[in-house]
């Protein structure tokens, strides 16, 4: 494909992905009240756990609307994840064969549950994070938290962990596309584990070491699973190449 054809293909894939996100955002707008209620639960729990008043506050006229819009877009991205993940695969590996289309479906069916599992893990540690970080406030004070700032904090924590859970699938995607070999993945295991531990330590900056390991262990397992799948794929690819080369040899 020429550069112009690549740009046309990119525009087509991007339009389909954005259309899916827009449809999901409509659903997110309709359920934004329930999401706001769930988001405020860790803040409301501060009153019972710390004995201090705590509340989410909207600091300007448009912040309530902006917050609902952010929630709608976030929900749209999550709900449309099967669509934009497939479009990403189809753009990176154009002209899919029948087997590659099966790989694409498998990629989407694997990446989406992992992303949701990562978001669920982030949501699990969220109340602990809120409780510990707000606990540094002096006694006899009130936690008045900006709703916009709080939502940005939740979004960075939950979605970042969700994306981290999908990264091993991205490694498999790069391997299947011929960009990254299984040897390269395995050689970087020390760096990968160090990055995972640092990421989990930053995502859970608290004395709760259990939460850090709760995030780190499945991420390490996913990394090695990605390496194993890539190794199996490389072996099958090498065998197929050897068979093809043998058939070319003239007897």
């Amino acid at each position: 494909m020429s550069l112009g054809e690549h740009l046309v293909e990119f525009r087509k894939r991007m339009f389909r992905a954005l259309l899916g996100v827009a449809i999901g955002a409509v659903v997110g707008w309709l359920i934004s009240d329930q999401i706001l209620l769930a988001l405020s639960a860790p803040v409301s729990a501060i009153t019972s756990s710390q004995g201090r008043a705590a509340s989410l506050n909207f600091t300007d006229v448009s912040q309530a609307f902006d917050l609902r819009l952010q929630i709608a877009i976030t929900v749209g991205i999550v709900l449309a994840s099967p669509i934009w993940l497939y479009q990403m695969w189809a753009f990176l590996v154009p002209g899919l064969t029948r087997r590659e289309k099966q790989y694409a479906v498998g990629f989407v069916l694997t990446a989406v549950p992992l992303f949701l599992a990562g978001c669920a893990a982030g949501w699990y540690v969220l109340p602990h994070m809120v409780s510990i970080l707000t606990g540094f406030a002096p006694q006899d004070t009130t936690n008045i938290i900006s709703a916009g700032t709080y939502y940005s904090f939740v979004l960075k924590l939950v979605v970042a962990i969700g994306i981290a859970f999908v990264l091993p699938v991205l490694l498999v995607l790069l391997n299947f596309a011929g960009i990254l070999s299984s040897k390269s993945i395995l050689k970087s295991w020390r760096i990968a584990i160090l990055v995972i531990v640092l990421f989990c330590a930053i995502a859970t900056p608290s004395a709760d070491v259990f939460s850090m390991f709760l995030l780190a262990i499945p991420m390490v397992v996913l990394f090695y699973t990605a390496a194993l799948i890539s190794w199996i794929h490389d072996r099958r690819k090498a065998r197929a190449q050897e068979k093809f080369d043998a058939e070319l040899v003239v007897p």
Side-chain angles (χ1 to χ4, degrees):
M1 297 174 66
S2 65
L3 177 61
E5 290 173 333
H6 275 295
L7 292 176
V8 171
E9 178 73 7
F10 177 77
R11 183 180 63 183
K12 180 179 69 174
R13 300 295 179 186
M14 181 64 70
F15 174 77
R16 293 176 179 175
L18 292 177
L19 181 61
V21 172
I23 296 173
V26 174
V27 178
W29 181 273
L30 296 176
I31 62 175
S32 58
D33 284 334
Q34 291 83 350
I35 295 177
L36 277 173
L37 184 62
L39 287 175
S40 62
V43 177
S44 302
I46 296 174
T47 304
S48 57
S49 63
Q50 302 180 17
R52 73 175 80 231
S55 62
L56 288 178
N57 288 267
F58 298 94
T59 56
D60 55 61
V61 176
S62 63
Q63 192 176 52
F65 173 80
D66 293 340
L67 183 57
R68 288 181 181 271
L69 187 61
Q70 291 178 43
I71 291 174
I73 294 175
T74 304
V75 173
I77 293 174
V78 173
L79 292 181
S81 54
I83 298 175
W84 55 261
L85 283 170
Y86 179 84
Q87 297 303 322
M88 181 178 67
W89 174 282
F91 177 75
L92 291 175
V93 190
L96 297 177
T97 63
R98 182 177 180 180
R99 175 171 292 183
E100 288 170 339
K101 288 181 179 179
Q102 294 175 351
Y103 290 155
V105 174
F107 168 72
V108 172
L109 294 179
T110 304
V112 172
L114 285 177
F115 176 73
L116 296 178
C119 291
W123 186 260
Y124 172 79
V125 301
L126 175 63
H128 303 282
M129 293 284 296
V130 173
S131 177
I132 291 174
L133 293 178
T134 56
F136 287 102
Q139 293 294 329
D140 301 325
T141 58
T142 302
N143 291 106
I144 302 176
I145 305 172
S146 169
T149 303
Y150 176 74
Y151 180 73
S152 297
F153 168 77
V154 175
L155 181 65
K156 291 176 183 177
L157 177 66
V158 175
V159 177
I161 296 177
I163 294 175
F165 271 55
V166 178
L167 289 180
V169 184
L170 182 60
L171 291 178
V172 176
L173 167 64
L174 295 176
N175 174 262
F176 277 44
I179 300 174
L180 196 63
S181 66
S182 59
K183 291 183 179 180
S184 300
I185 298 175
L186 288 172
K187 284 182 179 179
S188 61
W189 70 269
R190 294 181 180 87
I191 299 175
I193 292 178
L194 178 61
V195 171
I196 290 172
V197 172
L198 290 176
F199 172 81
C200 294
I202 294 173
T204 57
S206 66
D208 189 4
V209 181
F210 175 75
S211 296
M212 185 186 75
F213 281 103
L214 187 67
L215 293 178
I217 290 175
M219 291 178 66
V220 172
V221 172
L222 288 173
F223 171 78
Y224 279 106
T225 302
L228 176 62
I229 294 173
S230 300
W231 178 75
I232 294 173
H233 176 258
D234 287 349
R235 287 198 62 185
R236 289 180 177 177
K237 188 176 180 181
R239 290 176 181 174
Q241 185 64 40
E242 291 175 0
K243 182 179 179 181
F244 178 76
D245 293 340
E247 292 176 351
L248 291 179
V249 177
V250 179

